[in-house]
Amino acid sequence: MTMIPAAAQAACPIQLAVYGEAKSGAEIDFTPAGTSATITNAFRMILDNNVVLDGIAMWTEGSAARPHGSLMYKCPTGDVTGDELAACTVWEGVIYSADDKGGVGLLPAEGADAPKNLIFPDLGPSLEMSAAYGPAGFSKVPWDIFVLKGCQE
């Protein structure tokens, strides 16, 4: 029996996790969110044709607190209005997680172990209706489920 090194068994923190979606080849790379008081997770979704969507998650307040995720495409930078932000947001929703046994949870905040799967409800239909899709953008529409495939160094 071969022993797996302890380092290989170590869990990956969510802020360094890399996820993939099998049908389209789309990938999600998490990055540390920095010092923002409101953003609990930051990530990029990389689609075919080198289309990159910027993603964030912010936890809502109250008894039904949830990680509200947003994916944005070519948003203006600097002092952005709510209307400008809405115009470049291509998906919004709660980001769920799932384990190997089918247990469903919520996207954890930074510092927690990366879950095995992430679920972005209605991701494909939302992206297909976006400006990022089509001849000048991506052509392979991802499904809602992304599987943990690695950990960045």
Side-chain angles (χ1 to χ4, degrees):
M1 179 193 285
T2 331
M3 293 298 291
I4 299 171
Q9 291 177 338
C12 178
I14 187 68
Q15 68 269 21
L16 298 177
V18 176
Y19 289 84
E21 190 277 329
K23 190 178 101 176
S24 70
E27 189 173 283
I28 294 174
D29 296 343
F30 278 84
T31 57
T35 58
S36 171
T38 55
I39 297 173
T40 54
N41 304 87
F43 56 93
R44 297 178 323 141
M45 183 177 287
I46 300 121
L47 304 165
D48 67 296
N49 297 329
N50 297 315
V51 172
V52 176
L53 307 178
D54 295 308
I56 59 167
M58 296 185 288
W59 276 78
T60 59
E61 300 288 322
S63 59
R66 301 173 151 359
H68 182 82
S70 298
L71 282 168
M72 282 102 30
Y73 180 64
K74 293 187 176 177
C75 279
T77 56
D79 211 5
V80 183
T81 67
D83 288 343
E84 288 173 319
L85 203 54
C88 65
T89 299
V90 296
W91 177 86
E92 283 188 286
V94 175
I95 303 172
Y96 295 95
S97 66
D99 62 24
D100 289 341
K101 296 180 177 80
V104 176
L106 297 169
L107 172 72
E110 285 191 2
D113 292 346
K116 295 292 181 209
N117 302 287
L118 295 180
I119 305 165
F120 290 74
D122 294 327
L123 176 67
S126 292
L127 292 184
E128 206 166 13
M129 303 283 290
S130 76
Y133 178 73
F138 73 96
S139 62
K140 296 177 183 171
V141 179
W143 196 46
D144 298 4
I145 298 175
F146 287 74
V147 177
L148 182 64
K149 61 184 244 183
C151 193
Q152 304 166 56
E153 289 300 315

